[in-house]
Structure formats: structure tokens, C-alpha cells
Amino acid sequence: MTKTVSILAVCLSMLMNAHAQQDLAGYRTGNYTGVNGVFSNPANIANSRYRWDVNLIGVNASVGNNQAQFKLGDLGKTFDGDKATDQLFGANSGKTSGIVNVAIHLPAVMISVGPKMAFAFTSRARVLGNVTDMDGQLVNQIRHLDENSNLPYTISSNGTMRVNVSGWTEYGLSFAREAFVNGPHYFKAGGTVKYLSGIGNMNVHLSNFKGTIDKDLVAQDGYLTNTSAKVGLASSGVNVSDFEVDQLTKTSGHGVGLDLGVVYEYRPADSKGYLFKVGVSVLDIGRLKFNKDMSKSAGYNLNIAAGDRFYLSQLNGVSLDDYKTTLDQYPQYFAPDGTNNETSYKVSLPTTMQINVDYHLQHKFYVNANVQLAMTKGTTRPYNGQYYSGFTLTPRYEGRKFGFYLPLSYNGLTKFNAGTSFRAGPLYVGSGSVLTALFGNSKQADAFVGFRFGQLYKKSK
């Protein structure tokens, strides 16, 4: 069990990102994103600066947490397993939460049909993982049983500690057009319909945990006593203990997703382009239906009486794939709760609302403000992954061939972060947290890089 917790902590610490939920930090606010503009608001491609645009490949990787910190010049020590685990689940830590987000932007193409209308085809592979409200004190007690002298330790929680990971590929067809024009007022609308192919899902949750951990001094083994909780395990298409690359090409679920967006632009006659624009979009509407692996999925009512002991050594060396088999050996403590009868379960996409305001200061200088509101949570459905609400302010300089962006963000998980990104010809690259990590402690690490090319309209447009 200690080994499982340590592996989890190291994985989180190696992929930390506060604004993990937003792909392409900074760069995504510009007017030269081409087909990539559909990922923040599908209306963006209408009346675009491009006749056509192609994204060859792009990768955005990030993770964030609310406990562990690092500095860019001290990565070696930061990613040491023991140090990372101590920060995430140390003696002074509270509830630990984290997020892992990876998006691989596969080939995509956009075509403008005149100045008013555009179509796009996009494809992405995505992985989203959450650790939510893990009790750091409890994990710390388990990790240091051998030298711990502060036992017994009692916990009483009315919440849900959970870990979930989902992976899927999506293929989107987008349409956007200029809705109407009234003098200097321009309105655009767009939408993306996505077919979702589920790669896999794994989740573990522990609800209303109330119990005591103590140590048998004779056997030199820790145990749980006077404990009650609801325990849930669910798995689909994921083999954690023996992962192989070919798992990424298999399908264990299907679904349909939707992105919707509108954009208003104010274009006074004496201005080149817009003076300001406002966009509103709702992203990742929909859900995936996964086929449940019945050999790894279960639900239990945990009940250990005050005079009984469940020794933690009975979970030593047990992988997440084998937890059900192990727990089934102790029906006196782990009683099936009857929730494992269905052969499938549904996982909602991490729906967010994006509210975006972009102001053209002068010439090639702009400032962008974006509010993200998370609309999906795992409070009642522990299968669901989630993003975090936040705010980003991004000053930028952008021309036809070059752009520089300075995203300054704050969200509910990792608080303040500062980064930078660049666009030069076909290359776009950046990070939403590199400046925070360079000049101080950061609870995130993220980066993206990609290549795209297209044909711009003439400047007169």
C-alpha cells in the first residue's frame, strides 16, 4: 500500500500545472491560431485571418497540485521520490488534490468558405487524471508506521477521497459563420460535434471514512480498527500493473461531445480590425460510456469492529489491478454493496464555460482576460474528472509571422502562476508557469509545442 501511494505521489509531482485545464496557455488568446482556435471557442474560425490552415502535430502536457512546490533550477531534488511524497502527504499537509492533463493535437485542417463561413476537422488524444481530497495525515501515518510513535491516529471524514484517470481520443467536425452585422457590431457563432473513443478509465474512491490506525508492537505491523467507509473500484481498458503501448489503440468506451461558442466584435470605422471582442463558449459537453472490467471493479461497505484488526501488510505489493481480488478475501470487513451489477458506467467530460474579453490596445499590442468556470465535478459521481475554475490575464504582441504572449493566471488549485509563449512561423511553444518556476516556488509544471501552417488573407481583409 505504501508503494502504491508513493508511485502516485511521484507521478503527480512530475506533471504539475496550475492552469493544466487550458491547452496552449497564452498562445490560445491570439488571432493567428488558425485551426487551433476551435479548441477555445469554435466561433473563432469564422471570419478568420486564414483561407486555410493545417495543424501537423502538437503536444500539451501539464499537472498541478495544492501541496508540493518546485523551482526550475532544482528539478533533480524536486522529483526525488521521497521528497515529492513528503510534500504531497507530509506530516503538516492537509487535504491533497492534484490534476494531470495531457493533450496530443493530431492532424487538423480548417477551410474558410468566403469571409463569413469556415469548416474544420480536428483530432486529439487526451488524458485527464485527478486526485481529490486525499487525507495527507492518514497517508503520512501509513508511510511512517515503522518509526511512528504518535499512534493511534483517528480520522473522521464526511467527504470522498478519490483518484480517477480517463483517456480518450476525439474526432471533431466544426462549423462557424458570421451570424449578422449591424454597423460596427459583428456577431459570430460556431459549434463542434465530436465522436469520442474511450481508451480507458480507472477510479478508486473512499467515502465517509471514519476509523483508527494503530500498530501491533509484537507483530510490528499497522492495522485499521473501529473503521467504516464506502469503498468503490472501477476499471475499464486499463492495466496499471502491466501497461503496454498497444492499450492506447484499443477502445473500451464510446460517446458524443459538443463545443458551442459565440463571439461579438466591435469594429469602429476608424479602426483596423476590432477594438475589442467578447467570446463565450461551453466546452466538453457530453460523456463517455465505458465497458466495466468486472474482474477489477467492485463496491464495498467497509466495517471493522472496535475489537477487530485489518493488518495493512495484507495489501503490501498489491497493485491497483489486483485490489478487488485481495479485498474479496476478507468479506467479514469488505462486504459487497450491490453496486457492481451493471456492466458499464458513464463518465462526464470535464465541461467548462469560457468567458473571454480581448482588447486591441494599439497597432500589434493586445490584452486578453479569460475566466474559466468548471461545470463538472466528481462530488456525487467519483468517476468524473474535473478542471478548476480560474482567471487569466494575457498581454501580447502579435504580427502575421511572430507573436509573444505573457499569461498571468490564478485558479483554485495552484493559485498564481506566470508563463510565456511564442509563435514564430509554423512553430508555437510555451508554458503557463515557467516564470513562476524560474523566479520562485511553483505548484505546477507545463509546456506545449506544435507545428502548423496556413495561407493568410491579404492585409486588406
Side-chain angles (χ1 to χ4, degrees):
M1 186 173 185
T2 303
K3 181 179 179 181
T4 301
V5 171
S6 298
I7 292 174
L8 174 63
V10 173
C11 289
L12 282 174
S13 64
M14 290 181 67
L15 290 171
M16 297 179 291
N17 172 39
H19 228 71
Q21 56 271 29
Q22 287 198 0
D23 282 358
L24 314 178
Y27 165 74
R28 71 198 297 268
T29 66
N31 293 308
Y32 292 90
T33 56
V35 65
N36 290 326
V38 300
F39 297 120
S40 56
N41 189 328
N44 283 335
I45 61 173
N47 203 246
S48 167
R49 283 167 165 74
Y50 291 89
R51 292 180 180 273
W52 57 267
D53 188 69
V54 175
N55 186 78
L56 293 178
I57 189 70
V59 178
N60 188 100
S62 53
V63 178
N65 76 99
N66 63 344
Q67 299 289 343
Q69 298 182 341
F70 78 99
K71 291 183 179 179
L72 194 62
D74 198 22
L75 291 180
K77 294 180 180 179
T78 298
F79 294 149
D80 175 80
D82 290 336
K83 182 178 180 180
T85 308
D86 286 340
Q87 289 190 72
L88 287 167
F89 306 107
N92 299 318
S93 64
K95 292 183 178 180
T96 297
S97 296
I99 182 172
V100 178
N101 184 46
V102 179
I104 301 175
H105 292 248
L106 301 169
V109 60
M110 180 207 75
I111 299 176
S112 295
V113 182
K116 295 184 177 181
M117 191 163 49
F119 295 89
F121 170 79
T122 56
S123 55
R124 281 192 298 178
R126 301 170 65 183
V127 175
L128 174 64
N130 291 101
V131 173
T132 308
D133 294 338
M134 295 293 292
D135 187 276
Q137 292 281 356
L138 176 63
V139 176
N140 184 66
Q141 296 291 341
I142 295 173
R143 291 182 59 234
H144 298 287
L145 276 173
D146 291 342
E147 66 269 23
N148 200 335
S149 60
N150 298 319
L151 296 175
Y153 175 75
T154 299
I155 179 176
S156 180
S157 171
N158 294 319
T160 300
M161 293 179 275
R162 57 190 186 273
V163 179
N164 56 66
V165 180
S166 294
W168 70 96
T169 54
E170 57 185 37
Y171 306 93
L173 183 62
S174 303
F175 170 74
R177 68 160 294 147
E178 187 180 277
F180 68 91
V181 178
N182 184 7
H185 308 291
Y186 285 69
F187 294 85
K188 304 188 291 184
T192 302
V193 178
K194 301 182 287 188
Y195 167 70
L196 311 173
S197 177
I199 298 171
N201 173 272
M202 183 278 294
N203 64 84
V204 180
H205 56 275
L206 189 65
S207 302
N208 300 320
F209 183 85
K210 296 176 176 61
T212 298
I213 181 172
D214 207 343
K215 183 176 181 179
D216 187 327
L217 297 179
V218 176
Q220 289 296 299
D221 195 358
Y223 63 85
L224 289 173
T225 186
N226 194 25
T227 300
S228 63
K230 294 187 72 69
V231 182
L233 310 171
S235 180
S236 175
V238 177
N239 190 339
V240 178
S241 60
D242 189 22
F243 179 81
E244 295 181 359
V245 177
D246 64 354
Q247 292 184 47
L248 299 177
T249 62
K250 296 179 180 179
T251 299
S252 64
H254 301 275
V256 176
L258 185 66
D259 299 338
L260 297 173
V262 294
V263 172
Y264 162 75
E265 296 183 1
Y266 177 65
R267 305 180 183 180
D270 58 348
S271 175
K272 294 182 179 181
Y274 62 83
L275 178 62
F276 69 87
K277 69 176 179 179
V278 180
V280 178
S281 60
V282 181
L283 309 177
D284 289 326
I285 304 168
R287 56 187 182 180
L288 279 153
K289 182 178 181 181
F290 282 100
N291 300 317
K292 185 183 293 185
D293 187 335
M294 303 302 287
S295 66
K296 302 176 185 176
S297 305
Y300 301 99
N301 288 316
L302 171 60
N303 192 355
I304 306 172
D308 293 340
R309 297 179 177 184
F310 177 74
Y311 285 92
L312 298 178
S313 61
Q314 293 166 134
L315 297 176
N316 285 346
V318 178
S319 73
L320 291 174
D321 291 322
D322 298 325
Y323 262 47
K324 179 181 185 300
T325 301
T326 302
L327 298 182
D328 283 345
Q329 298 174 15
Y330 306 96
Q332 69 275 31
Y333 303 136
F334 296 89
D337 63 4
T339 61
N340 198 40
N341 298 325
E342 297 181 350
T343 58
S344 63
Y345 58 100
K346 296 178 180 179
V347 177
S348 296
L349 294 179
T351 310
T352 62
M353 175 179 285
Q354 307 286 334
I355 303 172
N356 189 275
V357 179
D358 198 50
Y359 189 81
H360 188 181
L361 296 173
Q362 63 176 359
H363 193 42
K364 298 179 181 181
F365 292 92
Y366 299 77
V367 62
N368 183 278
N370 187 86
V371 175
Q372 174 170 280
L373 301 176
M375 303 177 69
T376 299
K377 295 184 178 180
T379 306
T380 57
R381 295 181 62 87
Y383 307 142
N384 293 342
Q386 68 181 71
Y387 291 147
Y388 288 82
S389 297
F391 174 82
T392 305
L393 183 69
T394 307
R396 74 180 187 276
Y397 168 89
E398 64 171 4
R400 292 166 67 89
K401 296 182 179 181
F402 176 80
F404 171 77
Y405 315 82
L406 186 66
L408 309 171
S409 65
Y410 182 94
N411 70 56
L413 181 66
T414 58
K415 310 310 178 187
F416 176 76
N417 284 276
T420 184
S421 54
F422 302 88
R423 173 180 56 84
L427 172 68
Y428 55 94
V429 61
S431 166
S433 61
V434 64
L435 296 182
T436 312
L438 180 63
F439 296 108
N441 291 326
S442 176
K443 295 179 181 178
Q444 72 175 42
D446 68 293
F448 66 85
V449 63
F451 297 90
R452 47 150 298 279
F453 62 92
Q455 181 185 14
L456 287 161
Y457 279 99
K458 295 181 179 179
K459 289 185 179 181
S460 60
K461 179 177 182 298

